[in-house]
Amino acid sequence: MISPRTVLAAALAVAAICGPASGQSRLLDRTVTFSVQSYDDPAHPYFVGRGRTVKVSGGVEFGLEPEGPQNGIDVVPVRVNIGPTRVEVDYSVSDPGILLEAKFNGYILRFETDCVLFQQARIDRDDTNMPLAVDAVSFDRGTLYINVSGLRYTRDSRFAVDLVLTDCPLS
């Protein structure tokens, strides 16, 4: 007789070899554009970053650096790593400071897709040491918004966002 533990171990081994089951999507190999924006009124932003586009892979996707001031505002350097179902941002490359306070001051990740990619997004409190509000993370179809308005940061500051994805094929 096969024990339930053996069946579970076999199922986990198959999942590890075959990748995600049907109904699960991943961010790896997707094309994403990452940008920074600051505004109180989206029609009249204080800052609109250049945006950088990459294919998500197994390392740090973005290492943002200052782009040159707009209205006295510039990009705070950060490192952004996108995993299969997660986005991690750290400020290890920045001198300590406070991020501009605005209705929205943060990061926008636009994944190229023809369908709704995100089902849920939540801050991983165990891997976040910044006081992001629950509503600091939002999404629309294939775009993720992370609002870091007014937050204090040091070289040790970091946050992580866990994502539940729909069964959205690569575009």
Side-chain angles (χ1 to χ4, degrees):
M1 182 169 159
I2 298 175
S3 75
R5 183 174 283 165
T6 303
V7 171
L8 177 60
L12 291 174
V14 169
I17 293 168
C18 297
S22 178
Q24 291 181 328
S25 188
R26 297 165 59 106
L27 297 176
L28 296 176
D29 296 325
R30 291 185 183 275
T31 301
V32 60
T33 300
F34 182 90
S35 65
V36 176
Q37 282 193 21
S38 297
Y39 57 80
D40 284 325
D41 175 357
H44 304 285
Y46 304 124
F47 185 91
V48 177
R50 280 188 221 130
R52 292 166 182 81
T53 303
V54 300
K55 184 177 255 188
V56 178
S57 63
V60 172
E61 276 71 29
F62 302 99
L64 291 188
E65 295 186 5
E67 296 181 1
Q70 295 175 29
N71 300 310
I73 303 164
D74 204 348
V75 172
V76 171
V78 295
R79 291 175 5 130
V80 181
N81 183 28
I82 303 172
T85 58
R86 179 179 176 94
V87 175
E88 299 171 339
V89 177
D90 77 61
Y91 292 78
S92 61
V93 293
S94 297
D95 291 330
I98 300 173
L99 297 160
L100 175 76
E101 191 164 330
K103 183 174 180 180
F104 182 87
N105 179 31
Y107 311 114
I108 301 173
L109 292 90
R110 284 191 171 84
F111 291 85
E112 287 184 16
T113 182
D114 293 327
C115 60
V116 175
L117 179 60
F118 302 114
Q119 191 172 56
Q120 183 179 20
R122 72 167 187 80
I123 301 162
D124 177 350
R125 296 291 178 194
D126 291 335
D127 205 18
T128 295
N129 63 8
M130 297 177 76
L132 271 77
V134 173
D135 63 351
V137 177
S138 60
F139 57 88
D140 180 35
R141 297 188 55 79
T143 303
L144 180 67
Y145 303 90
I146 305 169
N147 190 352
V148 293
S149 172
L151 296 181
R152 183 176 303 274
Y153 61 91
T154 67
R155 289 187 185 270
D156 295 326
S157 297
R158 68 184 185 286
F159 65 84
V161 177
D162 288 324
L163 302 161
V164 175
L165 307 172
T166 65
D167 190 13
C168 181
L170 287 173
S171 294

